[in-house]
Amino acid sequence: MDPMNTTQSGLPESESEARRLLDEWAGKPVRHHPTSFRDDTEPPSFGSTPPVRQEDHRIVPAWAAGIAVASIGVGTGITGIGCGAWLVLQGLASVSLAGVLMVTLPFAGLAMAATAIGGAISKARAAVTRNVFEGPVTHHTEIHNNSTTRGAFFARTRNEIR
């Protein structure tokens, strides 16, 4: 017994119309659309047809290509820094006290010279000058304060000092 094709005599008019439309739809054949095509004809072995231009359609966006190039640059730079660090650490692996003193001696000399020059400049600037002014000195300050407050909950106070 097929539930799609059974007819019941006690159905209302709208349900019988719906049943008729469903039966009509179910009776139609299903359409199949082709999703691919294959041309089995043999191409000519030679001919006078010029080559066909193939348009360049890139699927990688420009920003992605930029990030890829930047990643390659960063990787190359990090590799160079790593090689430099390896060389420095190889050199530090064979450190002796005399070697450390010879390497740090120029820096210590520069620091000592900078300290001496800074001390000389500081003493030259520390010369005392005294300006003595004679005469009456008066200091007159007059403040006029106008304060206004607006608002209740979020009050805003404005002070004008002249």
Side-chain angles (χ1 to χ4, degrees), residues 90-129:
Q90 285 293 324
L92 289 176
S94 60
V95 171
S96 66
L97 180 60
V100 171
L101 292 177
M102 288 300 161
V103 169
T104 58
L105 190 61
F107 297 114
L110 284 174
M112 189 172 61
T115 304
I117 291 171
I121 291 173
S122 174
K123 284 193 177 191
R125 288 179 129 191
V128 177
T129 57

Side-chain angles (χ1 to χ4, degrees), residues 25-110:
W25 173 80
K28 291 182 181 177
V30 178
R31 287 186 174 175
H32 293 286
H33 299 286
T35 57
S36 64
F37 174 75
R38 183 179 183 109
D39 187 9
D40 292 327
T41 57
E42 285 290 324
S45 58
F46 65 93
S48 61
T49 304
V52 177
R53 177 175 170 80
Q54 302 289 322
E55 293 297 325
D56 184 18
H57 296 288
R58 297 190 187 267
I59 58 173
V60 177
W63 62 268
I67 288 176
V69 169
S71 299
I72 292 170
V74 168
T76 305
I78 292 297
T79 303
I81 291 171
C83 290
W86 180 79
L87 288 172
V88 167
L89 293 174
Q90 285 293 324
L92 289 176
S94 60
V95 171
S96 66
L97 180 60
V100 171
L101 292 177
M102 288 300 161
V103 169
T104 58
L105 190 61
F107 297 114
L110 284 174

